[in-house]
Amino acid sequence: MKTITRKEEIVTIASQLFKEKGYNAVSMRDIAQAMGIKAASLYNHISGKQQILSTLILTVAVEFTNGMQTVVAKDIRPIDKIREIIELHIDITVNHSEALAALNNDWMHLENNDLSSFVQMREDYEENFRRIVKEGIEAGELKQHHPEVILFSILSTLRTLYLWYQKRGKLDVNVLKKDMVSVLLNGIT
Amino acid sequence: MKTITRKEEIVTIASQLFKEKGYNAVSMRDIAQAMGIKAASLYNHISGKQQILSTLILTVAVEFTNGMQTVVAKDIRPIDKIREIIELHIDITVNHSEALAALNNDWMHLENNDLSSFVQMREDYEENFRRIVKEGIEAGELKQHHPEVILFSILSTLRTLYLWYQKRGKLDVNVLKKDMVSVLLNGIT
DNA sequence: TTACAAAACTAACGTTTGTTAGTTAGATTT
DNA sequence: AAATCTAACTAACAAACGTTAGTTTTGTAA
């Protein structure tokens, strides 16, 4: 049985507030009020505001990193790897849409080790993706576009999916995956 | 002759700082220091921090609104309207990349009239775009996907272009337009 | 019932924030 | 030369910030 700790509760509440206004516009008093307690009481469970942010962001960043590793290791065609990466993004978006807001918009407010390991994970992720795109082009599975343009157009769509999912009435995940793969790979014309 | 006022200078400097850390993480003292003056001196030229943000964001928002109006009024095929919208985004991105960061990430820190007129402009813009996509589908120029998926995938790519342009060594605008149109409309496979 | 631990509380701290008031130096106009 | 204007300055303000210290309440176990 999975019991939620008070710390996890704080991180969850905070992530919802961060999504609305961003890390710096949300005070410890705001978070406390949303939980029905006083700001000082938060410190019984967490070490500070920074820890909330880093827990939130690094948890999801690790999930992306592991997901990408799994895809890279598979012995399948580049284009099928891209398909799986799209599905990975959708799965994470569905499960952590609030955390993704912080990851996208507030990562630069991480400090020290947390900041540098996040940046490292992000660079590695992009580099893995870039390599797959290049392989796909060389194998003739993708058009001869500049790899960077392909990488960017897919990645920016996937990264902002969290903004758009949920206001579209929680449509079925499998339908969403099929549509996104089709649009991103085959285009719209 | 176009002389830059001190106010425009402040807005420009501020936009660069906002792009790095976001509106709330940049203080008036930060902005002043970047200009080599003291924070209080800024108030000889602007009415407050809010005005910097709203000038920055609304200027660009109006440009999008006008550009969309022009495209809508044209008597051309839906797919060519989409092509022109893509080019509109690229033009604005090239000319206002710092302001676009604020527009995307800090619009919710606008207040009162500025906030509501921004939100209104944004909704109108999306609605115009949505209608064009629907017309394109009905005319058989676009595939029979859910219009919302098409709208989202194009718009999210265009909206985050500012993050990606410039670290890619300022490639030629016309080349960029051609590539983006091709990738977004025809897909990558 | 008592003892203990978890989690809330009140009060306060030192900083930083956006902003205002009043002043001063330098340039331009009369 | 005197007057005006522009744009900087110093000093200070009240409010909000993250955080700490010490205390009290609450629930569980002995």
Side-chain angles (χ1 to χ4, degrees):
Chain A
M1 67 172 189
K2 159 99 173 148
T3 57
I4 23 165
T5 68
R6 204 85 170 107
K7 174 180 170 179
E8 289 169 329
E9 221 175 315
I10 293 173
V11 171
T12 301
I13 293 275
S15 72
Q16 293 163 6
L17 299 179
F18 292 166
K19 182 177 183 178
E20 303 283 316
K21 311 200 294 171
Y23 177 72
N24 273 284
V26 175
S27 70
M28 293 299 274
R29 286 166 179 85
D30 290 334
I31 298 169
Q33 190 173 43
M35 299 197 61
I37 61 178
K38 298 289 176 179
S41 306
L42 294 170
Y43 290 81
N44 285 317
H45 309 285
I46 49 143
S47 66
K49 198 184 177 189
Q50 260 293 308
Q51 195 189 35
I52 299 178
L53 186 68
S54 65
T55 301
L56 197 53
I57 291 180
L58 291 181
T59 301
V60 180
V62 166
E63 222 167 300
F64 273 113
T65 298
N66 293 340
M68 176 59 88
Q69 284 305 93
T70 303
V71 171
V72 166
K74 287 193 177 179
D75 187 21
I76 55 178
R77 296 163 65 211
I79 195 169
D80 288 320
K81 290 185 181 175
I82 294 177
R83 225 183 296 274
E84 295 208 6
I85 291 172
I86 293 172
E87 292 176 0
L88 169 66
H89 265 87
I90 293 177
D91 283 331
I92 294 181
T93 300
V94 168
N95 294 320
H96 302 97
S97 81
E98 279 84 14
L100 280 177
L103 184 139
N104 274 301
N105 304 320
D106 291 318
W107 62 268
M108 71 286 282
H109 301 119
L110 291 171
E111 293 170 359
N112 310 321
N113 281 352
D114 292 333
L115 176 59
S116 48
S117 74
F118 171 81
V119 170
Q120 186 67 60
M121 282 192 274
R122 193 168 135 129
E123 282 172 4
D124 291 349
Y125 188 89
E126 288 186 13
E127 186 52 33
N128 277 316
F129 205 155
R130 186 176 293 113
R131 195 176 304 118
I132 292 171
V133 168
K134 282 180 182 170
E135 287 167 5
I137 295 174
E138 286 164 15
E141 298 172 7
L142 303 183
K143 286 182 186 161
Q144 291 274 355
H145 284 118
H146 196 304
E148 216 62 36
V149 175
I150 294 177
L151 175 64
F152 160 71
S153 74
I154 297 181
L155 209 39
S156 62
T157 300
L158 295 176
R159 279 180 175 157
T160 50
L161 185 56
Y162 77 96
L163 281 172
W164 175 81
Y165 175 77
Q166 82 187 1
K167 82 169 165 186
R168 296 301 156 209
K170 302 273 186 191
L171 38 99
D172 182 68
V173 180
N174 289 316
V175 173
L176 180 60
K177 281 181 182 175
K178 211 178 157 199
D179 282 3
M180 291 295 300
V181 167
S182 173
V183 168
L184 291 178
L185 295 188
N186 306 327
I188 63 176
T189 57
Chain B
M1 68 175 189
K2 161 100 173 147
T3 56
I4 23 165
T5 67
R6 203 87 172 108
K7 173 179 170 179
E8 289 170 329
E9 221 176 315
I10 292 172
V11 171
T12 300
I13 292 277
S15 72
Q16 293 163 6
L17 299 178
F18 292 166
K19 182 177 183 179
E20 303 282 315
K21 313 200 293 174
Y23 177 72
N24 274 284
V26 175
S27 70
M28 293 299 273
R29 285 166 179 83
D30 291 334
I31 298 169
Q33 190 173 46
M35 300 197 61
I37 61 178
K38 298 290 176 179
S41 307
L42 294 170
Y43 289 82
N44 285 318
H45 309 285
I46 49 142
S47 67
K49 197 184 178 189
Q50 260 294 308
Q51 196 190 34
I52 299 177
L53 187 68
S54 66
T55 301
L56 198 52
I57 291 180
L58 291 181
T59 300
V60 180
V62 167
E63 223 167 301
F64 272 114
T65 297
N66 293 341
M68 177 61 88
Q69 284 305 88
T70 303
V71 171
V72 165
K74 286 192 178 179
D75 187 22
I76 54 178
R77 296 161 66 209
I79 195 169
D80 288 320
K81 290 185 180 175
I82 294 177
R83 224 182 296 273
E84 296 208 6
I85 293 172
I86 293 172
E87 293 177 0
L88 170 67
H89 270 268
I90 293 177
D91 283 331
I92 294 180
T93 299
V94 168
N95 294 321
H96 303 96
S97 82
E98 280 84 13
L100 280 177
L103 184 140
N104 274 299
N105 304 319
D106 291 317
W107 62 268
M108 72 288 281
H109 301 120
L110 291 171
E111 292 170 0
N112 310 320
N113 281 352
D114 292 333
L115 177 59
S116 48
S117 74
F118 172 81
V119 170
Q120 185 67 59
M121 281 193 274
R122 193 168 134 127
E123 282 173 4
D124 291 348
Y125 187 89
E126 288 185 12
E127 185 53 33
N128 278 316
F129 205 156
R130 186 177 293 112
R131 194 176 304 118
I132 293 171
V133 169
K134 283 180 181 168
E135 288 168 2
I137 295 174
E138 287 164 14
E141 298 172 8
L142 301 183
K143 286 183 185 159
Q144 291 274 353
H145 283 118
H146 196 303
E148 217 62 36
V149 175
I150 293 177
L151 176 64
F152 161 71
S153 73
I154 297 181
L155 210 38
S156 62
T157 300
L158 295 176
R159 278 179 176 159
T160 50
L161 187 55
Y162 77 96
L163 281 173
W164 176 82
Y165 176 77
Q166 81 188 4
K167 81 170 166 187
R168 297 301 157 210
K170 303 273 184 189
L171 38 97
D172 182 68
V173 180
N174 290 316
V175 173
L176 180 60
K177 281 181 181 174
K178 212 179 156 195
D179 282 5
M180 291 296 300
V181 168
S182 173
V183 168
L184 290 179
L185 295 187
N186 306 326
I188 62 176
T189 57

